[in-house]
Amino acid sequence: EVQLVESGGDLVQPGRSLRLSCAASGFTFDDYAMHWVRQAPGKGLEWVSGISWNSGSIGYADSVKGRFTISRDNAKNSLYLQMNSLRAEDTALYYCAKDINYGENDGYFDYWGQGTLVTVSS
Amino acid sequence: EIVLTQSPGTLSLSPGERATLSCRASQSVRSSYLAWYQQKPGQAPRLLIYGASSRATGIPDRFSGSGSGTDFTLTISRLEPEDFAVFYCQQYGNSPRTFGQGTKVEIK
């Protein structure tokens, strides 16, 4: 059974940093691209970032480019999102999602975690 | 980036009725790379449809997808009580991937 378990969400002040993690199990992690998708309270879904199976291809939404860094450790079956210079508008539930492809730029998401909540407020 | 516009915003229907949800893209979606997801309150999104018309594993056949180019439709032939939720379309043929704003299907 595929499982994606996010962690690391917290209440942080604007301008501070946070690192999210996603632990994957139930599939061959290094065969697939992985993504972060967020959902602000009461709002829709927004793709944040994606990374290919071997970290060779990475993409970011314009809203987070230059502030967020996605990475993965295939030996640990884990996905990460380093979030710097956080803003109030980054407040959201952050989901980890598995791609159906190994590349990060043309697949859909067949499994999602339950999300970890990031709140940016003073 | 491709903007996806879903309509209507809310659909009020009774169990047993047919639901028709629309997703319109601001430009043609490459190779019909269009997916639909269902999200219930407090839950993560669940994949329903990919490639505009292919059902994901375990999805009942009352869910069907159609369309190409810029116009796509999700149809639920007969609504079951567990189908009431918010539905999102997503295009994955162009970077960045984008989602529609969602259609809520609520019990009338």
Side-chain angles (χ1 to χ4, degrees), chain B residues 20-89:
Chain B
T20 304
L21 288 66
S22 172
C23 176
R24 179 162 291 178
S26 59
Q27 56 187 276
S28 185
V29 176
R30 179 172 69 95
S31 302
S32 293
Y33 281 175
L34 193 287
W36 290 93
Y37 300 88
Q38 176 190 50
Q39 187 178 34
K40 298 179 182 179
Q43 296 186 17
R46 176 176 73 144
L47 175 68
L48 296 177
I49 301 287
Y50 62 91
S53 60
S54 298
R55 271 187 302 277
T57 303
I59 302 303
D61 60 7
R62 63 179 180 274
F63 291 92
S64 63
S66 63
S68 64
T70 61
D71 288 298
F72 299 88
T73 300
L74 174 70
T75 301
I76 311 171
S77 59
R78 286 178 57 86
L79 283 163
E80 297 288 339
E82 62 268 27
D83 297 338
F84 292 90
V86 179
F87 295 84
Y88 295 95
C89 58

Side-chain angles (χ1 to χ4, degrees), chain A residues 10-104:
Chain A
D10 205 351
L11 169 63
V12 294
Q13 294 179 328
R16 303 300 290 263
S17 298
L18 202 60
R19 189 192 195 209
L20 305 184
S21 299
C22 171
S25 61
F27 65 102
T28 306
F29 183 70
D30 54 10
D31 276 352
Y32 298 96
M34 296 293 295
H35 301 265
W36 290 98
V37 178
R38 68 185 180 184
Q39 186 169 36
K43 302 297 184 182
L45 302 169
E46 178 189 17
W47 175 80
V48 172
S49 182
I51 185 168
S52 64
W53 68 283
N54 64 351
S55 305
S57 178
I58 285 174
Y60 297 99
D62 286 345
S63 57
V64 308
K65 202 171 291 182
R67 300 187 299 122
F68 290 10
T69 302
I70 191 171
S71 62
R72 64 190 294 163
D73 185 337
N74 287 345
K76 294 183 178 180
N77 288 352
S78 293
L79 175 72
Y80 306 101
L81 186 68
Q82 178 66 42
M83 310 165 67
N84 298 334
S85 303
L86 282 162
R87 306 167 179 168
E89 54 265 36
D90 296 318
T91 294
L93 188 61
Y94 284 73
Y95 293 104
C96 166
K98 172 187 168 293
D99 200 304
I100 56 96
N101 285 335
Y102 56 86
E104 60 82 28

